[in-house]
Amino acid sequence: MIRGHMVKIGGLDLSEGPGVVAVISRFPVEQAKAALLQGADMLEIRLDLLGIKDTKSALKMIAEVKAAVNIPCIATNRLPNDGGKWEGTEEKRIQLLLDILPVVDAVDVELAAVADLREKLISTAHELGKTAIVSHHDFNGTPPMEKIRNMLEMAWQSGGDIAKFAAKANSTADTMNLLRVTHAATRPVCLISMGDIGKHTRVIAPFYGSVLTYGSIDEAVAPGQLNIAELKRTMRLLL
């Protein structure tokens, strides 16, 4: 339960329980259908992993996905430093997200994105009634709790409806610290401890207040990521 804040993605009210997000990284229609069968609540459409670089292709793909499944979609076009595969200018990266905002339910933009472009994307999302996720990924290690809290605050201050922070766990203490920050958050967060040591946080972080958790359809697209079926099955056991 989110303390004092309601946030929705599409018709899904995340104050009533966490959303399980399936990452669409290849064969979008086939993966979307599989995600729905496995129990995903929404899709993250990774334009960078799909190799989509133009608006026409993106709109066509999203239309095909929406014709196949009727669940909310998050658009993401990830920066290389945040684990993405985008090849092109920052202006084109953000413009592609702007172009498809009307046909998706939420957008994920990095805290490291060029500030004025990020602000334009978030403000446009809000004008259209869409949810903005502001994210940061650290593939080297987990910073101290105070730094995590500061980055979450920066994400909220930049206009993020959900502040997302994912960091590699190098020790069990790292995972505990991440869960402590999650539990203490007063606004919507998604926190993930990446890698084998932190794999269990993808299941249990939602019980500490993380409003989203991400899974794969088949191959993991982030360190320690579980597939949707495993994620849902394990979460049901704990409920």
Side-chain angles (χ1 to χ4, degrees), residues 174-216:
D174 285 344
T175 67
M176 291 297 295
N177 287 342
L178 196 94
L179 291 172
R180 287 189 181 100
V181 173
T182 306
H183 183 64
T186 56
R187 282 180 278 179
V189 293
C190 169
L191 280 94
I192 300 164
S193 198
M194 296 188 291
D196 287 340
I197 293 174
K199 186 182 292 187
H200 65 290
T201 65
R202 295 180 180 275
V203 175
I204 68 169
F207 297 95
Y208 287 84
S210 185
V211 299
L212 299 172
T213 188
Y214 289 70
S216 61

Side-chain angles (χ1 to χ4, degrees), residues 145-159:
M145 286 192 290
E146 188 58 32
K147 184 173 181 181
I148 299 173
R149 283 191 285 263
N150 288 341
M151 297 197 80
L152 294 176
E153 186 62 37
M154 289 168 64
W156 289 320
Q157 290 298 323
S158 70

Side-chain angles (χ1 to χ4, degrees), residues 117-134:
L117 297 176
R118 183 185 67 232
E119 289 168 9
K120 181 180 179 182
L121 180 61
I122 292 171
S123 64
T124 304
H126 289 160
E127 287 168 10
L128 294 171
K130 314 295 182 175
T131 301
I133 301 166
V134 177

